[in-house]
Every structure is written in C-alpha cells, then in structure tokens.
Amino acid sequence: FKCDELMDFIEDLRQPLGRTFAIQDQEEKEAARAALFAEDGAIAKGLVKLDKRLESCGPDVTIADLYAFSIVNVFRQPTFVDGIPVGVIDKYANIQ
C-alpha cells in the first residue's frame, strides 16, 4: 500500500513538468520549467512533501523507492530536460 502511495505521489509530482513539453517557444518553455521549481512552484511544493515523507522510510528498498529515485534524478542537472535550475534538489536532505 505504501509503495502504491509513493508511486502515485511521484506521478503527481512529475505531471506539471510533462505539460511543458508542449510549449514550442524555447525561452517560454525554460521559464515555465524554472517556475515549477521556484519556491512557490508546483514541483518545489511537491519536493518539500516528498522530503518530509522520506524521513520515515525504512531501511529496505522498494520498487517505489527506485521509481522515486529515477524520476527525481531527472530534476538533477545535468539532465536532458532543459530549463531546470541547477541544484534544485540539493536543499532536500532526504531526497539526496
């Protein structure tokens, strides 16, 4: 049950980024992505919740942990997704 919850949460976390792929103008796309990671951005708010949630994770690695790791690492620079600011996940101790 907790694995499903975490995987669903990660899906919700990445959805706003997926919408930016439809933006044709490169500068507008990069600005939209940067806004998602700004202090009040949708992904930044989700990362705060994820960081808090990971405080209580046990020592055993689950498929949900691996999924979260793979998706969150898309946010780590360098990445194939342009416009994500460098170091956006550095301040979340439980995510690193």
Side-chain angles (χ1 to χ4, degrees):
F1 182 71
K2 290 192 182 252
C3 284
D4 288 340
E5 284 181 356
L6 180 55
M7 291 177 79
D8 286 345
F9 180 81
I10 295 300
E11 277 300 298
D12 293 343
L13 180 67
R14 75 182 188 97
Q15 290 301 317
L17 181 63
R19 290 190 285 272
T20 66
F21 284 92
I23 300 172
Q24 296 299 312
D25 182 75
Q26 187 65 27
E27 287 183 23
E28 182 183 345
K29 182 186 300 186
E30 290 183 23
R33 290 176 177 169
L36 293 172
F37 292 91
E39 200 67 32
D40 62 341
I43 293 179
K45 290 177 183 177
L47 289 172
V48 169
K49 291 177 185 176
L50 178 61
D51 190 55
K52 182 73 173 163
R53 183 180 190 137
L54 293 177
E55 284 179 355
S56 62
C57 285
D60 297 330
V61 176
T62 67
I63 188 72
D65 297 323
L66 296 174
Y67 185 65
F69 176 79
S70 66
I71 297 300
V72 170
N73 270 308
V74 169
F75 306 152
R76 191 183 309 269
Q77 288 292 351
T79 181
F80 68 92
V81 182
D82 44 3
I84 297 177
V86 175
V88 294
I89 60 174
D90 292 349
K91 62 183 170 184
Y92 306 105
N94 297 306
I95 294 176
Q96 294 185 29

